[in-house]
Amino acid sequence: MSIPATHTLLVKQLSKQLGFDYCGIAKAVPLDEDARKLEAWLNKGMHGQMKYMENHFDLRVDPTKLVPGAKSVITLLLNYFPSQQQNSDAPKIAKYAYGNDYHEIIRAKLNEFLFMIREKIGDIQGRGFVDSAPVLERSWAKKSGLGWVGKNGNLITKQNGSYFLLQH
Amino acid sequence: MELEYDDPFAKDFCGSCSKCIDACPTDAILPNKVVDGSRCISYFTIELKEMLLPSEMHNKFDNWMFGCDTCQDVCPWNRFSKPTTEAAFNPIPEVLNLSTKEWESMTEETFKKIFRHSPMKRSKFKGIQRNLSFLQQQQS
């Protein structure tokens, strides 16, 4: 087996071990089409007062600028669909917010992921992102074969729908 | 590091379905896969920092206090959702059990204590109160 093939197998095994539901890998290249779409969306003001979405446009659309020297983008999905429902008379809360904050949960997992990869492969460069940096999550998920972007803008997997958190 | 790359997902299984577009309470889902974030209930209830929510949205929030799942709840593909196996996502009991009245009478101290590790921190107590009173106004 070639070195990239061996490393790929290891990365996918480790992602499972850490409890991620899906793992897809794409080559780190600029997202030209997404850049145009994002620009048009921002120009129409569809981000409202979320000014932070305008920040770091160049980094957002090009992972090799966000992480200099990056070769691969690994996209991981974590299912958050709850098994219980709210009281029917309660004010409604989005399901991702039923439990603990996903930022905290996933950041810890990504750190562990990088640690385990370095332990097995050596001192590779890499950074984990969960909302913390300007990454076009859904585009990467589609690019790495995990699903399609639906009309509602969510990444939809054919196997288990869309109640997933995306990280890289 | 160099790895082997997966093939991109080439298909789109939305087809002619428009359930999410039809169900969106604020008509935030536009044609051609464009979502107007500035009309989305998740934006209003979480990201918008102003204390006044736009009056044109009155009666449109469908009792959503923090975020909104309507476009996902109606998506036929979510019939295939399976419960999470991640224990940290298990619901905080109060999320499931509190009534509207209990939410409305909650103190800031209690909110901070119960939702210490919850994503609801992002709205802060003030934001949750704003959203609750907006929902209340709708009913009157």
Side-chain angles (χ1 to χ4, degrees):
Chain A
M1 220 192 284
S2 71
I3 289 172
T6 314
H7 289 174
T8 301
L9 195 66
L10 181 76
V11 161
K12 298 217 167 179
Q13 278 168 351
L14 291 177
S15 76
K16 265 216 176 68
Q17 208 176 311
L18 281 169
F20 289 108
D21 298 279
Y22 293 97
C23 172
I25 307 173
K27 191 174 182 181
V29 293
L31 297 170
D32 294 329
E33 196 193 331
D34 292 290
R36 282 195 300 275
K37 283 187 190 162
L38 176 62
E39 197 174 14
W41 189 80
L42 291 169
N43 284 338
K44 285 182 193 145
M46 292 190 170
H47 56 315
Q49 291 182 24
M50 297 181 281
K51 292 294 267 187
Y52 59 84
M53 289 196 171
E54 297 167 21
N55 298 341
H56 311 297
F57 184 87
D58 294 348
L59 304 182
R60 227 178 253 281
V61 299
D62 188 352
T64 63
K65 285 191 181 142
L66 184 63
V67 182
K71 299 231 178 2
S72 309
V73 178
I74 303 171
T75 301
L76 302 157
L77 304 191
L78 190 61
N79 172 16
Y80 65 86
F81 189 70
S83 56
Q84 291 161 287
Q85 293 183 334
Q86 282 189 273
N87 270 351
S88 58
D89 67 329
K92 291 192 270 184
I93 297 166
K95 290 185 242 316
Y96 81 84
Y98 280 14
N100 286 352
D101 193 339
Y102 65 95
H103 297 93
E104 298 171 19
I105 298 164
I106 291 168
R107 208 167 289 138
K109 276 185 188 287
L110 290 179
N111 286 339
E112 180 73 8
F113 188 49
L114 276 170
F115 179 83
M116 285 159 78
I117 291 174
R118 288 189 178 120
E119 210 177 37
K120 302 264 187 195
I121 298 180
D123 189 25
I124 58 115
Q125 299 293 309
R127 266 179 74 185
F129 299 106
V130 47
D131 277 4
S132 60
V135 178
L136 292 165
E137 299 96 344
R138 293 156 300 179
S139 305
W140 287 108
K142 179 175 186 271
K143 238 178 139 50
S144 45
L146 300 180
W148 73 99
V149 179
K151 289 174 185 170
N152 61 9
N154 283 296
L155 177 86
I156 305 177
T157 68
K158 208 177 171 195
Q159 298 86 351
N160 300 110
S162 65
Y163 291 103
F164 289 93
L165 296 157
L166 281 63
Q167 47 277 321
H168 307 272
Chain B
M1 117 179 101
E2 221 160 300
L3 297 169
E4 289 191 333
Y5 303 120
D6 292 295
D7 292 326
F9 201 89
K11 289 193 178 165
D12 181 320
F13 292 97
C14 284
S16 61
C17 174
S18 62
K19 285 196 160 95
C20 58
I21 296 176
D22 303 337
C24 178
T26 54
D27 298 317
I29 307 175
L30 309 177
N32 303 319
K33 302 200 168 193
V34 177
V35 177
D36 186 347
S38 70
R39 289 189 65 85
C40 172
I41 293 174
S42 292
Y43 165 73
F44 289 123
T45 57
I46 304 171
E47 298 296 320
L48 187 66
K49 302 303 174 200
E50 289 172 1
M51 279 318 282
L52 210 60
L53 292 166
S55 53
E56 58 162 318
M57 291 296 155
H58 264 154
N59 291 315
K60 292 195 171 169
F61 276 17
D62 192 25
N63 212 26
W64 286 103
M65 175 181 71
F66 183 90
C68 173
D69 279 331
T70 299
C71 65
Q72 297 201 85
D73 288 340
V74 301
C75 176
W77 290 99
N78 280 330
R79 279 184 306 218
F80 304 119
S81 298
K82 286 187 303 201
T84 180
T85 51
E86 180 62 54
F89 286 140
N90 285 345
I92 295 170
E94 284 82 354
V95 162
L96 304 178
N97 302 332
L98 290 182
S99 66
T100 303
K101 277 216 159 55
E102 287 169 316
W103 270 105
E104 284 170 352
S105 59
M106 192 184 294
T107 64
E108 180 158 16
E109 196 189 6
T110 308
F111 176 82
K112 282 186 170 163
K113 203 168 126 198
I114 298 176
F115 299 103
R116 195 162 72 240
H117 294 292
S118 156
M120 275 188 271
K121 288 192 306 272
R122 188 166 173 86
S123 291
K124 303 206 172 69
F125 180 65
K126 267 203 158 67
I128 295 290
Q129 278 193 317
R130 174 200 65 177
N131 298 343
L132 278 166
S133 81
F134 191 71
L135 295 177
Q136 194 60 40
Q137 284 166 39
Q138 296 185 59
Q139 283 149 14
S140 55

